[in-house]
Amino acid sequence: MSLAEELKERARREGAALAGIAPAAPMPQASLLEAQLAADRDASLSFLRRDAAVRQDVRRWYPQAQSVLVCGFAYGGGRESKGPGMGRIARYAACEDYHTALKRRMEAVLAWLRTRAPEADGRAFADSSPVLERLYGAAAGLGWVGKNRLLISERIGSYFLIAGLALNLPLESDRPVPERCGSCRRCLEACPTRALDDGRPFAAGRCIAYLTIEHRGPLPKEHRPRMGGWVAGCDLCQEACPFNSAAPREGVLAPALPQGLPLEELAACDEAGFRERFGRTPVSRLKARGLKRNALLAMGNSGLPRFRPVLERWGQDPDPVLSEQSLWSLARLPR
Ligand code: B12
């Protein structure tokens, strides 16, 4: 077995459902990054702008890189729990936080590689590094970048997270797989805020995942009615994807939350309660205030008059973002 094959086998033993190797070269589609950033002035993803040049070539992040091991870790998420009055939580956000867990697994793979090739060195990435993970994943043959802009595997769909290792060894690369979206448009039609549009750069500022998790301050009024019950992330473009109909329900990340929680509970969560319940999950990124804001919006979108008293109370809150959101929601509910 070649070292490249052994390395992928090792990654699978660390829990990767997918493992492949890409050359450490700039990605040909990287120029689309500029187009996306130019089209998306409203999305406050300032970190993408700050390190755009680094993102386009992994060697600007790890100069010794000669190849990149890219892995896909499937996630199941907690019990599904949707319905009127529930705040919906995206599958990945209902799991234990993946950044440290996946980086640790990649570092274990690197430690093993050093026992096989003492000259080996590398740098692990899992989401937070300036690496265009989906493009390197596509170059490593894990899947293709779909119309929903996610990396889709024919075998396991798209409910997987990416992590990897930039390596100083020249390892044999895998071949990219052909794009299989074809004429399917289900994800484009499923996105209520029209973040996805064929032939146009992804509009991150309209994506419900962006709006619920990354956007600070009042939510843009034009998108509010279409955000439904989502309070942390969104899976609509993945739920609509036919390749996810057979996606594994279990993954390496432990489920930490159900995929829906009662809106009253979310709005009532104080700082200590928030830390206790969400501190070890990706929901922690929203902070208690962000989660409250989203829950108050979802109440307005629920159509349920039982939320009126709660919203009336929050309408008096000294925090202008929460009070304005509550009054907006109140005006939408029937008496
Ligand atoms: C910033 C970010 C976001 C932002 C912006 C999303 C975006 N599309 O850029 C927001 C907050 C909206 C977001 C949302 C989500 N994210 Co996110 N996100 C990232 C992050 C940190 C950086 C992405 C980035 O560099 N964007 C800049 C743009 C320009 O890059 P790009 O979209 O990759 O664009 C390139 C290609 O798509 C290609 N391209 C563009 N258009 C097209 C069209 C076609 C047809 C093709 C072939 C290529 C192509 O060219 C572009 C330029 O290089 C990555 C982790 C990482 N380091 O890569 C995770 C990451 C992409 N996110 C991930 C996930 C899981 C999500 C969510 C599903 C979470 C959720 N359930 O709520 C949603 C999905 C939204 C969506 N449909 O894209 C996973 C995706 C895993 C996978 N299977 O693909 C990643 C890889 C994190 C990880 N380590 O696993 N995310």
Side-chain angles (χ1 to χ4, degrees), residues 29-33 36 45 47-48 55 75 90-92 98 126-135 145-152 158-163 196 200-202 204 207 209-210 213-214 232-235 237-238:
Q29 308 95 317
S31 62
L32 287 168
L33 175 60
Q36 173 164 329
L45 294 167
F47 61 95
L48 290 181
R55 269 173 207 272
Y75 55 92
R91 263 203 209 197
Y92 87 99
Y98 55 97
D127 192 49
S128 43
S129 303
V131 175
L132 285 172
E133 293 177 344
R134 284 166 291 177
L135 293 186
V145 178
K147 286 185 189 164
N148 63 3
R149 304 310 202 257
L150 293 168
L151 191 60
I152 305 174
S158 66
Y159 288 117
F160 64 87
L161 293 161
I162 305 175
L196 300 162
R200 284 232 309 267
F202 177 69
C207 174
Y210 164 78
I213 299 177
E214 302 289 339
C234 171
D235 282 330
C237 64
Q238 302 201 83

Side-chain angles (χ1 to χ4, degrees), residues 70-142:
V70 193
C71 299
F73 291 88
Y75 55 92
R79 167 172 57 79
E80 261 198 78
S81 177
K82 51 186 177 190
M86 301 297 272
R88 295 194 68 188
I89 298 174
R91 263 203 209 197
Y92 87 99
C95 296
E96 65 170 320
D97 191 78
Y98 55 97
H99 295 90
T100 335
L102 297 188
K103 219 164 175 179
R104 232 182 257 137
R105 285 169 195 257
M106 296 321 302
E107 277 158 3
V109 175
L110 179 60
W112 169 85
L113 181 63
R114 286 210 184 96
T115 64
R116 287 285 286 101
E119 73 284 15
D121 204 357
R123 197 169 175 192
F125 57 86
D127 192 49
S128 43
S129 303
V131 175
L132 285 172
E133 293 177 344
R134 284 166 291 177
L135 293 186
Y136 282 97
L142 265 50

Side-chain angles (χ1 to χ4, degrees), residues 79 81 119 127 155 167 199 226 258 275 308 334:
R79 167 172 57 79
S81 177
E119 73 284 15
D127 192 49
R155 187 161 59 83
L167 293 166
R226 294 184 198 89
R275 268 197 306 278
R308 289 191 68 90

